[in-house]
Amino acid sequence: MEILTAEHLTKHYGQHIAVNDVNLHVMAGSLVAFLGPNGAGKSTTIRMLTTLSQPSSGFFTINGKNRLKDMRQDIGIVFQESVLDSRLTVRDNLRLRARLYPDVSRQRVDDLLTRVGAAEFAKQAYGSLSGGQRRRVDIARALLNKPRILFLDEPTTGLDIQTRAVIWKILQEMREQDGLTVFLTTHYLEEAEAADDVYVLDQGRIIAHGAAEVLKQQYTHSELVVWPSQHQILTIPTNWHHHFDPQHGTETIEMPSEQSPIDFLSSQQAKIQDFEYHKGSMDDVFLALTGREIRG
C-alpha cells in the first residue's frame, strides 16, 4: 500500500524553479531517503509534502487523502530546528503540544517519553538538554498524533556517532512495532544504506531512484587492493580493470561482481601477502550522480 503519492510536483518562485516535476511513490512502513546537494530542492519538497507550502502545480496524497486537514492527521515532522520552548520542561512542552490534538492523552505523552528514552530528563528544561536529548524529545513531539508517516529533515546533523545510533535504534523499533513510514533527508549518506527506497534530487529534478543496493550496483564499483608477496605476479583476467602502483607495491583491481573478491583471493592465495576490500557506498553513488560532495 502506498502511504504517499506525488505526481508532477512543481514549485517555482518567480522565474526560479525550485522543484521540477517530481514523482514519488512511498510504500507504507518503508524507510525512504531523499538525497541531494544543498539547494537541490529537498527542503522545498518536504515543505510541500507536509502541507506547509502549496505546490505551484502537481498534486500529492497522504494515506489516500488529498484534503490538507485530513492529510495533517497522518503526518509527523522533525524539523532541522526545534519548535519547542527552551524554558519549559520536556514534559510541559509535550503536554502543551498535545493540546493541539483532540485525542492525545497525558498517558500518550508519558508513553512516548519512555519509548524515546527521555523519561529520566522529563522534568528538565528543554533548553538545558544536550543535542541528542533534544532530538529524542523532538521525535516524541512529532509522534504525539500517531502519524502514519514521519518526515525527518536532517535529524542527526551535528550529533555524535553514538547518539545517532540511539536515534536510529528508536526509529527502527517504531517502524517494526507501529508500521511507521520514515521519509528522510540527510547529509550522512551512510544513513541511507539501509533505505528501502532512495531518491536523488539535483536542481529540482529526480535524477535517480531505487533501492540503495540497486543504486550502488548501477553507479559504483568495488575495489580490491592487493599486496602481492615478493616477486609474485598476480593472474588477473584480461577483461578486468586494474592498476599496479610500483611505489607501494599494490595492485588495485575493480571487481566486476560481489562474489569476485572471494573467488579471486582463493585462486591467488599463495601469491598474496595482504589485501583491502573497498565496497561501493552511497557516497560513491552520490558523487557519481551529482559530481560533487553532499555539502557542496
Side-chain angles (χ1 to χ4, degrees):
M1 173 186 170
E2 285 189 13
I3 190 70
L4 184 155
T5 303
E7 298 286 350
H8 309 296
L9 205 62
T10 300
K11 182 70 173 182
H12 55 77
Y13 300 97
Q15 298 299 313
H16 174 64
I17 302 176
V19 177
N20 194 349
D21 198 36
V22 165
N23 299 302
L24 303 169
H25 299 275
V26 176
M27 302 304 294
S30 63
L31 168 62
V32 175
F34 196 55
L35 309 177
N38 290 338
K42 301 187 303 297
S43 293
T44 301
T45 304
I46 292 286
R47 287 184 62 81
M48 287 189 287
L49 295 176
T50 54
T51 75
L52 298 176
S53 176
Q54 290 292 316
S56 300
S57 61
F59 71 94
F60 68 98
T61 62
I62 301 287
N63 198 23
K65 305 168 184 176
N66 57 16
R67 292 177 55 202
L68 294 185
K69 180 180 179 181
D70 295 334
M71 287 192 288
R72 286 169 180 162
Q73 296 174 355
D74 292 321
I75 293 172
I77 316 167
V78 176
F79 301 97
Q80 293 182 36
E81 301 295 331
S82 177
V83 296
L84 296 179
D85 191 318
S86 62
R87 297 164 297 179
L88 295 178
T89 68
V90 168
R91 181 173 279 110
D92 286 344
N93 258 302
L94 294 188
R95 285 179 175 174
L96 184 63
R97 289 281 165 172
R99 295 179 186 174
L100 299 175
Y101 307 103
D103 301 320
V104 178
S105 65
R106 287 196 169 195
Q107 186 59 48
R108 172 70 175 167
V109 170
D110 291 338
D111 289 345
L112 282 172
L113 286 171
T114 299
R115 292 190 70 180
V116 302
E120 63 186 36
F121 49 82
K123 295 182 180 180
Q124 289 182 228
Y126 178 81
S128 71
L129 304 180
S130 68
Q133 289 173 329
R134 273 185 255 181
R135 198 44 102 204
R136 286 190 245 173
V137 178
D138 293 339
I139 292 172
R141 188 266 310 153
L143 296 172
L144 283 169
N145 59 323
K146 298 183 181 179
R148 297 289 304 279
I149 181 168
L150 178 64
F151 290 91
L152 303 172
D153 195 5
E154 299 178 22
T156 57
T157 297
L159 302 183
D160 59 72
I161 295 175
Q162 293 88 344
T163 302
R164 285 163 55 196
V166 169
I167 297 297
W168 278 107
K169 182 175 183 293
I170 292 168
L171 292 170
Q172 182 59 28
E173 288 175 353
M174 290 183 174
R175 286 183 61 211
E176 294 173 353
Q177 296 171 13
D178 305 331
L180 182 67
T181 305
V182 175
F183 192 97
L184 164 78
T185 72
T186 181
H187 276 158
Y188 300 115
L189 293 185
E190 66 270 21
E191 295 182 340
E193 295 281 352
D196 302 298
D197 222 356
V198 177
Y199 290 88
V200 182
L201 190 75
D202 197 13
Q203 297 182 348
R205 287 185 175 273
I206 300 293
I207 59 172
H209 167 227
E213 286 302 319
V214 172
L215 292 181
K216 284 189 285 186
Q217 291 174 14
Q218 290 178 340
Y219 295 103
T220 73
H221 59 263
S222 299
E223 290 184 341
L224 183 66
V225 181
V226 178
W227 283 261
S229 300
Q230 192 172 16
H231 306 306
Q232 294 292 331
I233 298 177
L234 302 177
T235 304
I236 304 172
T238 56
N239 61 332
W240 287 16
H241 297 288
H242 60 96
H243 169 71
F244 182 72
D245 181 351
Q247 182 177 355
H248 298 95
T250 58
E251 191 81 60
T252 300
I253 308 165
E254 183 178 321
M255 291 286 103
S257 72
E258 291 302 317
Q259 188 61 36
S260 297
I262 298 174
D263 294 341
F264 179 79
L265 290 170
S266 297
S267 69
Q268 304 291 300
Q269 184 175 0
K271 301 179 181 180
I272 293 175
Q273 177 181 341
D274 200 359
F275 71 92
E276 290 180 357
Y277 181 55
H278 304 286
K279 190 174 181 180
S281 68
M282 287 305 299
D283 288 275
D284 298 321
V285 170
F286 190 90
L287 290 172
L289 286 166
T290 69
R292 54 188 183 272
E293 295 180 356
I294 191 76
R295 295 184 186 277

